[in-house]
Amino acid sequence: MTALLLAPAAVLFVVMLLAPLAVILLFSFGERAPAGGYAPAFTFDNYLNLPARGKAFFNTLTLAPVGTLLTAVIAFPMAYFLAVKCDPRWRVTLLVLVMAPFWTSQLLRYYAWIMLLGAKGVPAWLAYLGFPDFRIINTPWAVLIGAVYGYLPLMVPPIYVSLEKLDKRLLEASADLGATPVRTFFQVTLPLALPGVATGSMLVFILLMGDYILPQYLGGGKVFFIGNALVDLFLQSRNWPFGAAVSVALVAIMFLTIFLYMRFVLGKSGQRRVALV
């Protein structure tokens, strides 16, 4: 019975995830055909040529973690207010407002940010205040702003769920034992919320690592992510084997990063629960 229940999900997992990954892995050892595409071969040249896309890897491995961190830092106070401080009568309404940006197209939201960060937006206001020649659009800062805005609704709910389960008596006990609010936050609130922070961070980090639209529009083609490099390799230069090697490298980096992060965060959370008990 258990096998029958798991069979549909297992088949879908194999067909939709493992099979495409196997094909990409096979392509990564091939060669570019004379007219573009894939030619059967067995070579490691594509992996040895990965430094040719070093700029895309550097931007992705720098801006994706920073964007995830900024999103978590901004999302945590919001989630804490909703879970602990907010009047229950307004909680559902505010949660809906947090998710409201997802009601519109992601592309439309980025176009709105292009207008806000463009020459007639924030830079024009800063020039009026005496700060001329201030450019935001087509820079890493614009990409980070778009990342925080675009993925904040994914970060708040997991943290909110963790904080909603927080036993307020622990906060009161910490205060009674003489701990300052800052110490209570770092020793009680944050460790208990780490599973939610880890879940939200992984959601944001995984999507940012493979994002194409965000750097393409807010980066203006000047801030390349690996997603932009893959579009170029598969659709423009038609070097499918090299694009497959870049894809395999991206998956390997993401898997290793997620494994180490989850092991560290959940390990810390488990240690803290034991200490509290």
Side-chain angles (χ1 to χ4, degrees):
M1 181 60 68
T2 302
L4 288 175
L5 292 174
L6 293 177
V11 171
L12 183 65
F13 180 79
V14 171
V15 172
M16 301 298 294
L17 180 63
L18 296 184
L21 284 177
V23 173
I24 291 295
L25 182 62
L26 176 64
F27 274 30
S28 67
F29 294 104
E31 294 179 345
R32 183 182 185 276
Y38 168 76
F42 186 78
T43 176
F44 291 94
D45 291 344
N46 296 313
Y47 289 98
L48 296 176
N49 197 31
L50 287 178
R53 298 291 175 168
K55 186 65 174 178
F57 277 98
F58 176 80
N59 288 338
T60 305
L61 296 177
T62 302
L63 296 179
V66 172
T68 303
L69 178 61
L70 290 176
T71 306
V73 170
I74 295 175
F76 198 98
M78 297 174 61
Y80 182 85
F81 173 79
L82 291 172
V84 180
K85 300 294 185 180
C86 179
D87 189 330
R89 295 175 299 177
W90 293 97
R91 187 169 295 159
V92 174
T93 302
L94 294 177
L95 281 171
V96 171
L97 291 177
V98 169
M99 303 301 297
F102 276 169
W103 297 353
T104 59
S105 167
Q106 184 184 31
L107 186 59
L108 182 62
R109 285 180 275 143
Y110 287 153
Y111 270 122
W113 275 108
I114 290 175
M115 298 296 295
L116 287 172
L117 302 179
K120 296 183 179 180
V122 175
W125 305 339
L126 292 175
Y128 179 77
L129 296 175
F131 299 95
D133 301 326
F134 196 89
R135 187 170 66 91
I136 304 177
I137 197 66
N138 300 339
T139 66
W141 294 108
V143 175
L144 288 176
I145 292 173
V148 172
Y149 174 80
Y151 294 105
L152 190 64
L154 289 178
M155 183 72 76
V156 173
I159 301 176
Y160 166 79
V161 171
S162 293
L163 290 173
E164 190 182 27
K165 301 176 182 177
L166 178 65
D167 190 347
K168 295 183 180 180
R169 292 176 297 180
L170 294 175
L171 305 180
E172 296 173 358
S174 178
D176 292 340
L177 292 173
T180 63
V182 174
R183 190 171 183 180
T184 299
F185 173 78
F186 283 104
Q187 293 191 344
V188 180
T189 306
L190 183 58
L192 293 175
L194 278 180
V197 175
T199 302
S201 297
M202 288 301 98
L203 287 173
V204 174
F205 179 74
I206 291 171
L207 292 175
L208 267 179
M209 286 284 287
D211 203 332
Y212 163 75
I213 297 178
L214 173 61
Q216 180 69 21
Y217 284 88
L218 294 185
K222 299 179 180 179
V223 183
F224 281 92
F225 273 25
I226 297 178
N228 304 96
L230 292 176
V231 170
D232 174 67
L233 290 170
F234 278 99
L235 300 182
Q236 298 181 18
S237 60
R238 290 181 50 81
N239 192 344
W240 292 4
F242 186 33
V246 174
S247 301
V248 172
L250 174 62
V251 172
I253 292 172
M254 291 174 62
F255 178 81
L256 179 62
T257 303
I258 292 170
F259 173 78
L260 295 176
Y261 178 80
M262 296 297 287
R263 185 172 182 178
F264 171 78
V265 171
L266 296 182
K268 288 291 184 181
S269 177
Q271 293 174 8
R272 180 58 60 185
R273 283 196 291 269
V274 172
L276 285 173
V277 173

